[in-house]
Amino acid sequence: MLPTPTQSDVISVSTLNRMARDLLEAGLPAVWIGGEISNLTVAASGHAYFSLKDSSAQVRCVMFRQRLAASGVRLAEGMQVELKGTVTLYEARGDYQINVATLRSAGLGRLFEAFERLKARLAAEGLFDEAKKRAIPTHPRAIGVVTSPAAAALRDVISTLKRRAPAIPVILYPTPVQGDGAAQKIADAIRAAGRRAEVDVLIVCRGGGSIEDLWAFNEEAVARALAACPIPVVSGVGHETDFTICDFVADLRAPTPTGAAERVSPSREQMLSQVELARRRLERALGRLMTDKTQQLDYLARRLVHPGQKLARQRERLAATRQRLTLLAEARLSGARRGLSAAETRLARCRPRPAETARELDRLGHALRRALVERLARQRLALAQHEATLVALNPEAVLSRGYAIVEKADGSAVKSPGQLAQGERVTLRLAEGSTHARVDHSSGAQGELPF
């Protein structure tokens, strides 16, 4: 009899599935698996759900949108693929599944490797540099298309250009886009477009397909021709998930050929809308201008005076000016006459009288001579008085009476005995010469000069 399990021995389904998932993820490394896709579903989120099967078994797989886009593979029902992923378990349903990280078409591993090697080499050479990308003209005069004349992509491009810009001519540079030698022919068509220089922008395009179908656009010859092309190039090869070397070298990548046609052509509807908008703006601007000019014209019309009225006012101003000039001339003439009369009066008073002038000159001459004689006499008297004073004050006259002048060594005259020191040498100036003496204070009374 089996023992009855306790409450602690029972686990939930969620716990069981989580334990199984942990065991699967920890016990099995990421592996490469090959098989056929079936039950493919691509959700609105972009995630892909499918089964990978062989002749005797199948396993559920999930590939999330970012990894699917990065792989560059367009999944299809029945497609043989090789994928690398992690074995896990979807807990909500208990489904064992593969979480796909990388996927490629079966047998195309060497093509992918060649693609990656060429991509890395061309990138190292700078063929993918964004700085080398040229701007696509917004209003090209002509558009060139490099593709096959039988390709559905050409019909998509032509219909799109006819709808968006029917006035722009389209020039086809025909070339095969698939098969042996297609890459060299595509490169030749690109170089021919560059030499002819008859278009402003070039579309290189073809429809979607497998990596083998698109391989011509992964060849180095096409990449070199694109890099050397003097015309801006838009690549529209395959579908949105398809990436080729051509996309990286071109000046612009479009997701589809139709998208490439839309990128190089201005929208007719949009231009008509812009023209209509500009027309309305111009109409409003002209309306405002007409309104302003009309108001300005009315204002000027109110200021406009009839020529007859203007002439009448000018005649009135001319008559008033003439009257003022007449009055001013008369006033100036009257003033001039008064000035002339006054000048005649002053001139009559200043008229010369020779006889009276001669008598006046004689009188003034006699008076001048008398004044000079009197002044000369007064000057002589004053000079005599000054001379007597100078003679009286002359020190030489005093010395002639027996006096002497005592001088110190510096030549200053001695006025008091107190200015002299014991034994000091002095000079005695006499009327007829000078002599030296020495001061002796030990003899002589106060007020005397002891020698």
Side-chain angles (χ1 to χ4, degrees), residues 195-208:
R195 285 194 308 271
R196 289 160 59 175
E198 54 195 353
V199 297
D200 293 334
V201 64
L202 191 65
I203 297 175
V204 178
C205 65
R206 69 147 288 162

Side-chain angles (χ1 to χ4, degrees), residues 174-415:
T175 176
V177 292
Q178 185 176 344
D180 294 338
Q184 188 59 49
K185 293 177 181 178
I186 294 171
D188 292 341
I190 294 171
R191 284 191 287 268
R195 285 194 308 271
R196 289 160 59 175
E198 54 195 353
V199 297
D200 293 334
V201 64
L202 191 65
I203 297 175
V204 178
C205 65
R206 69 147 288 162
S210 65
I211 189 170
E212 299 100 323
D213 297 336
L214 303 179
W215 191 253
F217 296 90
N218 288 323
E219 294 286 351
E220 184 174 356
V222 174
R224 299 290 182 187
L226 287 173
C229 183
I231 304 170
V233 179
V234 177
S235 172
V237 178
H239 296 287
E240 186 171 359
T241 57
D242 298 325
F243 282 86
T244 64
I245 297 296
C246 178
D247 296 330
F248 297 109
V249 181
D251 297 292
L252 179 67
R253 175 190 181 266
T256 61
T258 300
E262 291 176 348
R263 297 294 180 88
V264 302
S265 61
S267 171
R268 181 174 180 272
E269 291 77 7
Q270 184 178 2
M271 288 193 298
L272 290 175
S273 176
Q274 293 174 350
V275 170
E276 177 63 19
L277 178 61
R279 186 193 66 78
R280 292 177 183 175
R281 290 178 177 174
L282 181 60
E283 184 178 2
R284 288 195 297 269
L286 287 175
R288 288 194 297 268
L289 181 62
M290 290 296 295
T291 300
D292 295 342
K293 294 301 181 182
T294 301
Q295 293 178 353
Q296 185 178 5
L297 181 61
D298 293 340
Y299 171 72
L300 293 175
R302 290 193 297 270
R303 295 183 58 191
L304 184 63
V305 180
H306 192 277
Q309 297 177 352
K310 190 172 184 180
L311 287 173
R313 285 200 294 269
Q314 289 179 348
R315 290 192 189 98
E316 292 174 0
R317 287 198 294 270
L318 183 60
T321 303
R322 184 185 297 112
Q323 184 178 1
R324 287 197 300 273
L325 288 175
T326 301
L327 294 175
L328 179 61
E330 292 177 353
R332 288 188 175 181
L333 183 58
S334 177
R337 286 171 180 168
R338 289 194 298 272
L340 181 59
S341 177
E344 288 177 351
T345 302
R346 290 195 299 273
L347 184 59
R349 288 198 298 267
C350 296
R351 184 178 300 165
R353 298 177 178 84
E356 294 180 0
T357 302
R359 288 194 295 270
E360 181 67 18
L361 287 175
D362 289 340
R363 186 183 64 78
L364 292 175
H366 291 305
L368 180 59
R369 283 192 291 272
R370 286 196 301 270
L372 287 174
V373 171
E374 291 176 357
R375 185 173 181 82
L376 185 57
R378 288 195 299 270
Q379 293 295 333
R380 286 174 177 169
L381 178 60
L383 181 59
Q385 292 175 350
H386 291 322
E387 183 179 4
T389 301
L390 287 175
V391 170
L393 296 177
N394 187 3
E396 298 294 337
V398 177
L399 295 178
S400 64
R401 295 198 295 270
Y403 292 95
I405 297 175
V406 180
E407 295 178 349
K408 300 181 72 172
D410 58 2
S412 59
V414 177
K415 299 179 181 179

